[in-house]
Amino acid sequence: MLLARRHRPTVRRFYQLVRAADDLADAPGLPVPEKRAALSAFRQAASALPTQIAPCAEALIDAFAEDCANPPCPDWAATLHSARRSSAPVGRMLLILHDGDDQHAAAAADALCTALQLLNHIGDAEADRQTLGRSYLPLDWLREAGQDPAPVLARMLAETRPLLTAARPLIRQIRDPRLAFQAAVTLACADRLAGLLRRRRDWRQPPHFGFFSLSAAVGHGLFLFLRLRWRA
């Protein structure tokens, strides 16, 4: 893990809480009212986290509570809003822990987190539909495409690329060098995943992000870190 050792226990506690909440929200067969009641308890448990990052956990759990009812996304703005709401608080939490605040790099961090979430939605579109009965595909785009998901997913991927570009300043804006390197590697992983999604032949099959892809992304992340961190 690239994060500073002193922050790892707190990050682990945060992750364990929101991961458990996310798993509960995605539990098949559990009625929505029961999910939301349990998520309310998770939200209360977030108060045990350090005061400065507890709101980030609460924001994520609120997003999970909204998503568990599988609300449709009428348009791209709704898809984008859902992705941002369920991911951006993670980046904000890391900024607050490592840099003391999140305002200096909020826009770029939100862009990276949102892009990663959108790539996840694009890659898992069929699995989400079959397992959760959930779709993040904009309904208006689906109608335009004659209910064919393939061109819609390609369009979503194209609309995600500008977010990755908007995230690049993050590597320089982050004050903590270890977190900046983590961000560079994460951005490189997102670039790699976007390429795999663009080249896949069947939209129903999730991309395989294996050891080779990870190794290539780490190398590219180092390149991005060295190039963007100190660029004039």
Side-chain angles (χ1 to χ4, degrees):
M1 195 174 189
L2 301 176
L3 302 179
R5 187 181 299 274
R6 68 185 182 281
H7 294 309
R8 291 178 193 173
T10 302
V11 173
R12 190 176 298 114
R13 285 175 58 204
F14 182 98
Y15 176 80
Q16 288 172 344
L17 176 67
V18 299
R19 180 66 186 180
D22 191 23
D23 288 345
L24 185 143
D26 289 346
L30 191 64
V32 171
E34 292 184 23
K35 288 183 178 182
R36 286 181 169 164
L39 288 169
S40 179
F42 275 104
R43 198 181 193 283
Q44 293 177 2
S47 63
L49 293 168
T51 305
Q52 69 272 30
I53 64 168
C56 299
E58 292 167 355
L60 284 172
I61 294 168
D62 288 344
F64 301 156
E66 181 179 313
D67 264 4
C68 72
N70 297 339
C73 295
D75 50 32
W76 174 245
T79 298
L80 197 60
H81 171 75
S82 175
R84 180 179 293 113
R85 191 168 183 235
S86 61
S87 63
V90 176
R92 299 295 189 100
M93 176 271 296
L94 291 171
L95 284 173
I96 291 168
L97 276 182
H98 290 77
D99 284 1
D101 68 89
D102 61 354
Q103 294 307 303
H104 61 294
D110 288 356
L112 179 56
C113 292
T114 304
L116 285 168
Q117 187 74 309
L118 288 168
L119 293 173
N120 179 59
H121 292 338
I122 294 166
D124 292 341
E126 179 65 3
D128 285 344
R129 185 188 68 82
Q130 290 191 356
T131 305
L132 304 174
R134 183 181 301 164
S135 174
Y136 297 99
L137 278 65
L139 294 179
D140 58 345
W141 290 4
L142 268 174
R143 285 193 297 270
E144 292 172 14
Q147 303 302 317
D148 182 2
V152 175
L153 291 167
R155 188 174 175 182
M156 290 173 65
L157 183 59
E159 292 292 335
T160 301
R161 295 297 311 188
L163 291 172
L164 295 176
T165 301
R168 292 170 74 89
L170 182 63
I171 298 169
R172 189 176 183 189
Q173 291 169 350
I174 294 174
R175 301 180 190 120
D176 184 276
R178 292 180 69 101
L179 182 61
F181 184 44
Q182 172 78 59
V185 172
T186 302
L187 178 58
C189 286
D191 280 332
R192 183 81 181 178
L193 180 56
L196 292 173
L197 288 167
R198 187 175 60 253
R199 292 189 296 272
R200 67 175 173 173
R201 296 181 178 180
D202 185 352
W203 65 268
R204 299 172 184 84
Q205 298 299 320
H208 176 65
F209 197 93
F211 177 78
F212 176 78
S213 293
L214 179 60
S215 300
V218 170
H220 184 51
L222 177 59
F223 168 78
L224 289 175
F225 179 76
L226 295 174
R227 180 185 177 202
L228 299 176
R229 180 72 174 169
W230 294 284
R231 187 171 66 180

